Amino acid sequence: LRFKPVDVALGAEVDVLADVTLARTRIIFDQAVAVGGAPAARARITCVCVDAETGRPRAPPDAVKDLFAE
């Protein structure tokens, strides 16, 4: 997570952008916030799917992949 303090006035335009990428064993969320066109925050969240029995990385289950299908 990275952020930069930005002065915000009541009624200022706030843009929130989000992107989801499915990788072999990961789900990656890229997010950004801009206030009045000025970048205010961004984050990359990586979720790794792990097999409960082996403890090894595995592909996300179909039910999870379906949540992010285009």
Side-chain angles (χ1 to χ4, degrees):
L1 173 65
R2 300 194 188 278
F3 68 93
K4 177 181 177 185
V6 175
D7 291 331
V8 179
L10 185 62
E13 182 177 327
V14 177
D15 295 308
V16 178
L17 306 170
D19 186 43
V20 178
T21 304
L22 295 174
R24 274 185 46 186
T25 60
R26 298 178 313 276
I27 303 168
I28 303 164
F29 300 90
D30 286 303
Q31 302 169 330
V33 176
V35 177
R42 67 181 176 151
R44 173 172 277 179
I45 301 163
T46 302
C47 300
V48 177
C49 298
V50 178
D51 187 292
E53 292 180 16
T54 66
R56 297 181 56 89
R58 59 161 293 188
D62 289 338
V64 173
K65 287 193 260 185
D66 291 346
L67 293 172
F68 302 106
E70 290 184 26

